[in-house]
Amino acid sequence: MKLKKTPISDVIKELGLPENTTFTGYAIHLHESDEFLMTYETNEYMDNLCWAKTPELAKKFQSYSKAKKTR
């Protein structure tokens, strides 16, 4: 899974949101299937990722670096 950091202002504009929209966190989105990472569990033996169809259910990360660590 390759992550791409998109500027928040670009996301707000792309989604047609008001300019005064409040940023609440980063999410991981699979463009191909239009799904959002909902939960994840990783350890030395496995990666367990669960995906949701709506962004409201997406796991929110406070920083890009924390989101990037899930891969």
Side-chain angles (χ1 to χ4, degrees), residues 35-46:
E35 294 177 300
F36 300 84
L37 181 65
M38 185 171 66
T39 61
Y40 71 97
E41 178 183 355
T42 60
N43 61 41
E44 61 185 293
Y45 304 109
M46 59 99 183

Side-chain angles (χ1 to χ4, degrees), residues 14 29-35:
E14 181 181 322
H29 177 246
L30 286 180
H31 182 74
E32 301 82 28
S33 59
D34 196 23
E35 294 177 300

